[in-house]
PDB file of all heavy atoms in Angstrom:
ATOM      1  N   GLU A 236      24.097  -5.940  59.016  1.00  0.00           N
ATOM      2  CA  GLU A 236      24.026  -7.144  59.835  1.00  0.00           C
ATOM      3  C   GLU A 236      22.573  -7.544  60.093  1.00  0.00           C
ATOM      4  O   GLU A 236      22.235  -8.731  60.095  1.00  0.00           O
ATOM      5  CB  GLU A 236      24.754  -6.916  61.166  1.00  0.00           C
ATOM      6  CG  GLU A 236      24.770  -8.109  62.095  1.00  0.00           C
ATOM      7  CD  GLU A 236      25.582  -9.299  61.582  1.00  0.00           C
ATOM      8  OE1 GLU A 236      26.137  -9.223  60.467  1.00  0.00           O
ATOM      9  OE2 GLU A 236      25.643 -10.317  62.304  1.00  0.00           O
ATOM     10  N   ALA A 237      21.704  -6.567  60.284  1.00  0.00           N
ATOM     11  CA  ALA A 237      20.282  -6.864  60.495  1.00  0.00           C
ATOM     12  C   ALA A 237      19.694  -7.559  59.273  1.00  0.00           C
ATOM     13  O   ALA A 237      18.930  -8.521  59.403  1.00  0.00           O
ATOM     14  CB  ALA A 237      19.516  -5.579  60.791  1.00  0.00           C
ATOM     15  N   ALA A 238      20.057  -7.079  58.089  1.00  0.00           N
ATOM     16  CA  ALA A 238      19.563  -7.697  56.852  1.00  0.00           C
ATOM     17  C   ALA A 238      20.112  -9.108  56.694  1.00  0.00           C
ATOM     18  O   ALA A 238      19.388 -10.031  56.307  1.00  0.00           O
ATOM     19  CB  ALA A 238      19.943  -6.831  55.647  1.00  0.00           C
ATOM     20  N   ARG A 239      21.410  -9.284  56.981  1.00  0.00           N
ATOM     21  CA  ARG A 239      22.028 -10.607  56.847  1.00  0.00           C
ATOM     22  C   ARG A 239      21.384 -11.616  57.782  1.00  0.00           C
ATOM     23  O   ARG A 239      21.060 -12.745  57.385  1.00  0.00           O
ATOM     24  CB  ARG A 239      23.531 -10.519  57.139  1.00  0.00           C
ATOM     25  CG  ARG A 239      24.285 -11.829  56.884  1.00  0.00           C
ATOM     26  CD  ARG A 239      25.652 -11.833  57.531  1.00  0.00           C
ATOM     27  NE  ARG A 239      25.569 -11.839  58.981  1.00  0.00           N
ATOM     28  CZ  ARG A 239      25.270 -12.917  59.714  1.00  0.00           C
ATOM     29  NH1 ARG A 239      25.013 -14.079  59.130  1.00  0.00           N
ATOM     30  NH2 ARG A 239      25.231 -12.844  61.026  1.00  0.00           N
ATOM     31  N   ILE A 240      21.172 -11.213  59.034  1.00  0.00           N
ATOM     32  CA  ILE A 240      20.569 -12.128  60.012  1.00  0.00           C
ATOM     33  C   ILE A 240      19.135 -12.463  59.616  1.00  0.00           C
ATOM     34  O   ILE A 240      18.689 -13.610  59.749  1.00  0.00           O
ATOM     35  CB  ILE A 240      20.618 -11.511  61.424  1.00  0.00           C
ATOM     36  CG1 ILE A 240      22.067 -11.388  61.883  1.00  0.00           C
ATOM     37  CG2 ILE A 240      19.819 -12.360  62.408  1.00  0.00           C
ATOM     38  CD1 ILE A 240      22.230 -10.623  63.190  1.00  0.00           C
ATOM     39  N   SER A 241      18.397 -11.467  59.122  1.00  0.00           N
ATOM     40  CA  SER A 241      17.022 -11.715  58.687  1.00  0.00           C
ATOM     41  C   SER A 241      16.986 -12.774  57.595  1.00  0.00           C
ATOM     42  O   SER A 241      16.173 -13.705  57.644  1.00  0.00           O
ATOM     43  CB  SER A 241      16.397 -10.411  58.177  1.00  0.00           C
ATOM     44  OG  SER A 241      15.142 -10.657  57.595  1.00  0.00           O
ATOM     45  N   TYR A 242      17.869 -12.635  56.622  1.00  0.00           N
ATOM     46  CA  TYR A 242      17.950 -13.635  55.551  1.00  0.00           C
ATOM     47  C   TYR A 242      18.290 -15.011  56.130  1.00  0.00           C
ATOM     48  O   TYR A 242      17.640 -16.021  55.807  1.00  0.00           O
ATOM     49  CB  TYR A 242      19.013 -13.223  54.529  1.00  0.00           C
ATOM     50  CG  TYR A 242      19.564 -14.395  53.750  1.00  0.00           C
ATOM     51  CD1 TYR A 242      18.847 -14.966  52.698  1.00  0.00           C
ATOM     52  CD2 TYR A 242      20.796 -14.975  54.096  1.00  0.00           C
ATOM     53  CE1 TYR A 242      19.326 -16.064  52.007  1.00  0.00           C
ATOM     54  CE2 TYR A 242      21.286 -16.066  53.410  1.00  0.00           C
ATOM     55  CZ  TYR A 242      20.552 -16.612  52.371  1.00  0.00           C
ATOM     56  OH  TYR A 242      21.034 -17.705  51.700  1.00  0.00           O
ATOM     57  N   GLN A 243      19.307 -15.061  56.993  1.00  0.00           N
ATOM     58  CA  GLN A 243      19.755 -16.339  57.534  1.00  0.00           C
ATOM     59  C   GLN A 243      18.665 -17.008  58.366  1.00  0.00           C
ATOM     60  O   GLN A 243      18.499 -18.232  58.346  1.00  0.00           O
ATOM     61  CB  GLN A 243      21.000 -16.135  58.393  1.00  0.00           C
ATOM     62  CG  GLN A 243      21.687 -17.436  58.798  1.00  0.00           C
ATOM     63  CD  GLN A 243      22.219 -18.200  57.602  1.00  0.00           C
ATOM     64  OE1 GLN A 243      23.001 -17.669  56.820  1.00  0.00           O
ATOM     65  NE2 GLN A 243      21.787 -19.451  57.448  1.00  0.00           N
ATOM     66  N   ASN A 244      17.886 -16.194  59.079  1.00  0.00           N
ATOM     67  CA  ASN A 244      16.802 -16.751  59.896  1.00  0.00           C
ATOM     68  C   ASN A 244      15.771 -17.480  59.029  1.00  0.00           C
ATOM     69  O   ASN A 244      15.261 -18.543  59.399  1.00  0.00           O
ATOM     70  CB  ASN A 244      16.106 -15.636  60.674  1.00  0.00           C
ATOM     71  CG  ASN A 244      16.928 -15.154  61.865  1.00  0.00           C
ATOM     72  OD1 ASN A 244      17.908 -15.792  62.253  1.00  0.00           O
ATOM     73  ND2 ASN A 244      16.524 -14.038  62.446  1.00  0.00           N
ATOM     74  N   ILE A 245      15.445 -16.884  57.881  1.00  0.00           N
ATOM     75  CA  ILE A 245      14.470 -17.508  56.988  1.00  0.00           C
ATOM     76  C   ILE A 245      15.018 -18.820  56.430  1.00  0.00           C
ATOM     77  O   ILE A 245      14.313 -19.827  56.342  1.00  0.00           O
ATOM     78  CB  ILE A 245      14.078 -16.531  55.857  1.00  0.00           C
ATOM     79  CG1 ILE A 245      13.272 -15.372  56.440  1.00  0.00           C
ATOM     80  CG2 ILE A 245      13.265 -17.246  54.764  1.00  0.00           C
ATOM     81  CD1 ILE A 245      12.931 -14.275  55.455  1.00  0.00           C
ATOM     82  N   VAL A 246      16.301 -18.819  56.068  1.00  0.00           N
ATOM     83  CA  VAL A 246      16.934 -20.044  55.578  1.00  0.00           C
ATOM     84  C   VAL A 246      16.902 -21.123  56.666  1.00  0.00           C
ATOM     85  O   VAL A 246      16.523 -22.271  56.420  1.00  0.00           O
ATOM     86  CB  VAL A 246      18.395 -19.769  55.146  1.00  0.00           C
ATOM     87  CG1 VAL A 246      19.121 -21.078  54.839  1.00  0.00           C
ATOM     88  CG2 VAL A 246      18.424 -18.872  53.919  1.00  0.00           C
ATOM     89  N   ASP A 247      17.281 -20.735  57.886  1.00  0.00           N
ATOM     90  CA  ASP A 247      17.344 -21.696  58.987  1.00  0.00           C
ATOM     91  C   ASP A 247      15.984 -22.309  59.286  1.00  0.00           C
ATOM     92  O   ASP A 247      15.877 -23.505  59.568  1.00  0.00           O
ATOM     93  CB  ASP A 247      17.876 -21.016  60.256  1.00  0.00           C
ATOM     94  CG  ASP A 247      19.348 -20.647  60.147  1.00  0.00           C
ATOM     95  OD1 ASP A 247      20.012 -21.154  59.216  1.00  0.00           O
ATOM     96  OD2 ASP A 247      19.819 -19.850  60.978  1.00  0.00           O
ATOM     97  N   TYR A 248      14.945 -21.482  59.239  1.00  0.00           N
ATOM     98  CA  TYR A 248      13.626 -21.939  59.678  1.00  0.00           C
ATOM     99  C   TYR A 248      12.878 -22.713  58.599  1.00  0.00           C
ATOM    100  O   TYR A 248      12.220 -23.713  58.880  1.00  0.00           O
ATOM    101  CB  TYR A 248      12.790 -20.737  60.123  1.00  0.00           C
ATOM    102  CG  TYR A 248      11.503 -21.121  60.831  1.00  0.00           C
ATOM    103  CD1 TYR A 248      11.520 -21.568  62.148  1.00  0.00           C
ATOM    104  CD2 TYR A 248      10.272 -21.051  60.183  1.00  0.00           C
ATOM    105  CE1 TYR A 248      10.352 -21.919  62.811  1.00  0.00           C
ATOM    106  CE2 TYR A 248       9.097 -21.398  60.830  1.00  0.00           C
ATOM    107  CZ  TYR A 248       9.137 -21.830  62.145  1.00  0.00           C
ATOM    108  OH  TYR A 248       7.985 -22.183  62.788  1.00  0.00           O
ATOM    109  N   TYR A 249      12.973 -22.245  57.347  1.00  0.00           N
ATOM    110  CA  TYR A 249      12.097 -22.782  56.307  1.00  0.00           C
ATOM    111  C   TYR A 249      12.773 -23.752  55.333  1.00  0.00           C
ATOM    112  O   TYR A 249      12.079 -24.427  54.567  1.00  0.00           O
ATOM    113  CB  TYR A 249      11.475 -21.645  55.491  1.00  0.00           C
ATOM    114  CG  TYR A 249      10.455 -20.858  56.255  1.00  0.00           C
ATOM    115  CD1 TYR A 249      10.743 -19.592  56.743  1.00  0.00           C
ATOM    116  CD2 TYR A 249       9.176 -21.373  56.508  1.00  0.00           C
ATOM    117  CE1 TYR A 249       9.803 -18.855  57.459  1.00  0.00           C
ATOM    118  CE2 TYR A 249       8.240 -20.649  57.224  1.00  0.00           C
ATOM    119  CZ  TYR A 249       8.563 -19.395  57.694  1.00  0.00           C
ATOM    120  OH  TYR A 249       7.635 -18.678  58.398  1.00  0.00           O
ATOM    121  N   SER A 250      14.091 -23.828  55.338  1.00  0.00           N
ATOM    122  CA  SER A 250      14.760 -24.656  54.331  1.00  0.00           C
ATOM    123  C   SER A 250      14.369 -26.126  54.432  1.00  0.00           C
ATOM    124  O   SER A 250      14.365 -26.852  53.439  1.00  0.00           O
ATOM    125  CB  SER A 250      16.275 -24.509  54.444  1.00  0.00           C
ATOM    126  OG  SER A 250      16.725 -24.948  55.718  1.00  0.00           O
ATOM    127  N   VAL A 251      14.016 -26.564  55.629  1.00  0.00           N
ATOM    128  CA  VAL A 251      13.646 -27.962  55.818  1.00  0.00           C
ATOM    129  C   VAL A 251      12.384 -28.335  55.032  1.00  0.00           C
ATOM    130  O   VAL A 251      12.153 -29.502  54.723  1.00  0.00           O
ATOM    131  CB  VAL A 251      13.451 -28.257  57.326  1.00  0.00           C
ATOM    132  CG1 VAL A 251      12.232 -27.518  57.876  1.00  0.00           C
ATOM    133  CG2 VAL A 251      13.320 -29.758  57.580  1.00  0.00           C
ATOM    134  N   TYR A 252      11.575 -27.337  54.676  1.00  0.00           N
ATOM    135  CA  TYR A 252      10.335 -27.597  53.948  1.00  0.00           C
ATOM    136  C   TYR A 252      10.529 -27.540  52.429  1.00  0.00           C
ATOM    137  O   TYR A 252       9.562 -27.700  51.681  1.00  0.00           O
ATOM    138  CB  TYR A 252       9.265 -26.581  54.357  1.00  0.00           C
ATOM    139  CG  TYR A 252       9.013 -26.552  55.848  1.00  0.00           C
ATOM    140  CD1 TYR A 252       9.301 -25.421  56.603  1.00  0.00           C
ATOM    141  CD2 TYR A 252       8.499 -27.670  56.515  1.00  0.00           C
ATOM    142  CE1 TYR A 252       9.084 -25.394  57.972  1.00  0.00           C
ATOM    143  CE2 TYR A 252       8.281 -27.656  57.876  1.00  0.00           C
ATOM    144  CZ  TYR A 252       8.577 -26.511  58.605  1.00  0.00           C
ATOM    145  OH  TYR A 252       8.368 -26.483  59.958  1.00  0.00           O
ATOM    146  N   LEU A 253      11.763 -27.317  51.977  1.00  0.00           N
ATOM    147  CA  LEU A 253      12.042 -27.201  50.549  1.00  0.00           C
ATOM    148  C   LEU A 253      12.771 -28.442  50.038  1.00  0.00           C
ATOM    149  O   LEU A 253      13.531 -29.082  50.780  1.00  0.00           O
ATOM    150  CB  LEU A 253      12.920 -25.974  50.269  1.00  0.00           C
ATOM    151  CG  LEU A 253      12.315 -24.607  50.591  1.00  0.00           C
ATOM    152  CD1 LEU A 253      13.389 -23.526  50.478  1.00  0.00           C
ATOM    153  CD2 LEU A 253      11.153 -24.297  49.657  1.00  0.00           C
ATOM    154  N   VAL A 254      12.565 -28.751  48.764  1.00  0.00           N
ATOM    155  CA  VAL A 254      13.354 -29.814  48.138  1.00  0.00           C
ATOM    156  C   VAL A 254      14.778 -29.302  47.943  1.00  0.00           C
ATOM    157  O   VAL A 254      15.028 -28.086  47.987  1.00  0.00           O
ATOM    158  CB  VAL A 254      12.739 -30.236  46.791  1.00  0.00           C
ATOM    159  CG1 VAL A 254      11.343 -30.797  46.985  1.00  0.00           C
ATOM    160  CG2 VAL A 254      12.722 -29.069  45.810  1.00  0.00           C
ATOM    161  N   ALA A 255      15.712 -30.204  47.699  1.00  0.00           N
ATOM    162  CA  ALA A 255      17.133 -29.850  47.671  1.00  0.00           C
ATOM    163  C   ALA A 255      17.456 -28.726  46.684  1.00  0.00           C
ATOM    164  O   ALA A 255      18.192 -27.791  47.011  1.00  0.00           O
ATOM    165  CB  ALA A 255      17.964 -31.097  47.354  1.00  0.00           C
ATOM    166  N   ALA A 256      16.915 -28.807  45.471  1.00  0.00           N
ATOM    167  CA  ALA A 256      17.221 -27.796  44.456  1.00  0.00           C
ATOM    168  C   ALA A 256      16.725 -26.423  44.878  1.00  0.00           C
ATOM    169  O   ALA A 256      17.411 -25.406  44.677  1.00  0.00           O
ATOM    170  CB  ALA A 256      16.608 -28.195  43.110  1.00  0.00           C
TER     171      ALA A 256
END
Side-chain angles (χ1 to χ4, degrees):
E236 181 67 359
R239 186 196 67 77
I240 294 172
S241 172
Y242 156 78
Q243 190 64 56
N244 284 348
I245 291 175
V246 171
D247 291 346
Y248 191 76
Y249 289 105
S250 61
V251 67
Y252 304 115
L253 296 171
V254 298

